Amino acid sequence: MAILGFFVVFLLCMGLAKAVNAIRGRLTVNGAAIHLLLTLVFAVYMVVNAVRADLPPAAFGYALGYTLTPALLVGALAAFFFFRFRADKADQARVHRLREQRLRADADQAAQ
């Protein structure tokens, strides 16, 4: 059931980023990066709580595995989209540069 919660948070982050990017008209916000940051904060919080609980080693490992596994599974999906966003943003920048070069070349040709 916890994996569903992480997946819903992931979808909210991606949806928010998609809305911001649509409004801006370019790739600006990486929703997967936001989710990975939230997952990192959650993981640190859970590790600190497990350490403070002063559990025996077997119970400590079980507690960490039980709480962090859903976060890591959805985090793997978020990592895929994080790197995909970076690649798409690099492609967008390359296309923008090529369009500017073509416009400059056309303007130079028209001036001659």
Side-chain angles (χ1 to χ4, degrees), residues 5 7-8 13 18 28-29 35 44 64 67 72-73 76 79-80 82 86 92 94 97 99 105 110:
F7 192 69
V8 168
C13 292
K18 182 98 171 157
T28 306
V29 177
H35 183 268
V44 168
L64 282 182
T67 57
L72 293 177
L73 290 175
F80 169 76
F82 173 78
R86 289 180 57 183
Q92 185 183 38
R94 185 179 58 81
R97 258 191 332 270
R99 285 181 181 160

Side-chain angles (χ1 to χ4, degrees), residues 66-85:
Y66 185 78
T67 57
L68 294 181
T69 300
L72 293 177
L73 290 175
V74 178
L77 179 67
F80 169 76
F81 282 104
F82 173 78
F83 288 110
R84 186 171 154 196
F85 177 86

Side-chain angles (χ1 to χ4, degrees), residues 10-30:
F10 173 70
L11 290 177
L12 287 173
C13 292
M14 294 297 283
L16 176 69
K18 182 98 171 157
V20 170
N21 292 336
I23 291 170
R24 299 276 319 244
R26 62 178 187 221
L27 296 176
T28 306
V29 177
N30 189 345

Side-chain angles (χ1 to χ4, degrees), residues 15-55:
L16 176 69
K18 182 98 171 157
V20 170
N21 292 336
I23 291 170
R24 299 276 319 244
R26 62 178 187 221
L27 296 176
T28 306
V29 177
N30 189 345
I34 295 169
H35 183 268
L36 287 173
L37 181 66
L38 292 174
T39 302
L40 178 67
V41 169
F42 173 77
V44 168
Y45 175 73
M46 292 314 295
V47 168
V48 167
N49 278 343
V51 168
R52 285 185 181 169
D54 213 18
L55 299 171

